[in-house]
Amino acid sequence: MNAFTSNQAYSGEVAWFPKGFALFENIAIAWQAVDLGPSLMNSLLYAVLAGALAVLVAALAGFAVSAIPGGWRTFWFWLIYSGALFPAQAFLRPLFTGYAETGLYDTRWGLFLIYIATCVPFSFFIMRNHMLSIPPEINEAAQLDGAGWWTVFTRFFLPLSKSALAAAFIFQFVWVWNELLFGITLSYSEEIRPVMAALAGLQSNYGTVGPPVVLAGALFVSLPTVIVFLLFQRVFASSLGGAKI
């Protein structure tokens, strides 16, 4: 309701109905105040490329621990998945120091690397669980026909894992799009920062632009993830069920 209200009509009181219709005007002000255009493109680039590369790495790791025979499978599973168990705040100080010393601070490569690294563990969890459900007879029959591990992975396991790949990618797309902590810690320039960092900059101008503008900007920025979730919620439901440890 406040996002629909103009700054002039906003009183700070609880409102059950909007006072006018100033949503598009508020979005335009938010867009100009922090230049949301480049940040939106940055987040789209980070979410698509980092999500896709993370899912590919996770699929390779999931195949290795679920289909290739050998020991230490449980060890490798917990080693990779443990990356999803520790809070991100624990990595901020060494990341900031390392990025500053290596020249990765405030660069797209730096954000790509951290987004891929943080997206791999949970994507690995999804892919490994799905690949465990693929009948082992497929793997055995392919090897009897002379197929190598790379052929088994690309010709059989990947095509049979399309739903899990899609679910993992969409999940990571949403996570990267909504990520704020690394965005504000490892970048500062408008050409590099993601959209949530730009939105945080809009909130710092709270007293200048007014609460309705801040809320309208937040509403506008959240629309892509809401649309993605509504379009692909069936993929989530069909692919995330039956998790195995």
Side-chain angles (χ1 to χ4, degrees), residues 130-145:
H130 175 78
M131 289 182 178
L132 284 175
S133 67
I134 296 177
E137 291 79 10
I138 296 177
N139 188 3
E140 296 169 1
Q143 292 184 66
L144 287 175
D145 290 337

Side-chain angles (χ1 to χ4, degrees), residues 8 32 38-39 50 56 68 113 139 144 188 206 215 228-229:
Q8 294 76 15
Q32 296 174 0
S39 299
L56 177 60
I68 298 179
L113 288 175
N139 188 3
L144 287 175
Y188 67 89
Y206 190 94
L215 296 172
V228 167
F229 177 76

Side-chain angles (χ1 to χ4, degrees), residues 4-240:
F4 280 82
T5 303
S6 65
N7 277 325
Q8 294 76 15
Y10 178 75
S11 62
E13 299 177 354
V14 177
W16 294 100
F17 300 98
K19 300 176 181 178
F21 187 85
L23 177 63
F24 298 121
E25 177 185 347
N26 291 336
I27 291 175
I29 297 174
W31 184 286
Q32 296 174 0
V34 291
D35 196 13
L36 282 178
S39 299
L40 284 170
M41 294 304 299
N42 288 336
S43 282
L44 182 62
L45 189 66
Y46 297 145
V48 172
L49 294 184
L53 289 174
V55 170
L56 177 60
V57 173
L60 288 166
F63 174 75
V65 301
S66 62
I68 298 179
W72 299 83
R73 286 189 176 188
T74 302
F75 168 78
W76 287 113
F77 167 77
W78 284 110
L79 179 65
I80 299 174
Y81 183 60
S82 64
L85 304 179
F86 296 100
Q89 290 83 352
F91 309 119
L92 285 182
R93 182 181 178 85
L95 272 174
F96 181 83
T97 303
Y99 271 43
E101 293 177 352
T102 58
L104 289 173
Y105 181 73
D106 195 37
T107 64
R108 288 193 174 91
W109 282 111
L111 288 178
F112 272 127
L113 288 175
I114 190 60
Y115 286 152
I116 292 172
T118 53
C119 286
V120 165
F122 189 74
S123 299
F124 164 74
F125 178 77
I126 297 174
M127 298 309 304
R128 177 257 189 184
N129 288 338
H130 175 78
M131 289 182 178
L132 284 175
S133 67
I134 296 177
E137 291 79 10
I138 296 177
N139 188 3
E140 296 169 1
Q143 292 184 66
L144 287 175
D145 290 337
W149 290 118
W150 180 252
T151 302
V152 174
F153 174 69
T154 56
R155 296 285 298 276
F156 298 96
F157 274 72
L158 275 185
L160 292 173
S161 304
K162 289 181 179 179
S163 61
L165 289 167
F169 171 76
I170 296 165
F171 192 96
Q172 301 310 330
F173 177 93
V174 173
W175 184 87
V176 173
W177 186 275
N178 289 328
E179 200 283 323
L180 172 63
L181 186 62
F182 294 125
I184 62 176
T185 305
L186 303 178
S187 68
Y188 67 89
S189 63
E190 295 181 357
E191 296 79 13
I192 304 299
R193 66 182 181 182
V195 69
M196 289 302 167
L199 189 63
L202 179 64
Q203 291 176 328
S204 67
N205 296 327
Y206 190 94
T208 304
V209 298
V213 173
V214 176
L215 296 172
L219 183 64
F220 175 74
V221 167
S222 67
L223 284 179
T225 56
V226 174
I227 294 172
V228 167
F229 177 76
L230 292 177
L231 289 177
F232 297 100
Q233 57 181 326
R234 290 187 179 181
V235 177
F236 278 104
S238 63
S239 300
L240 298 183

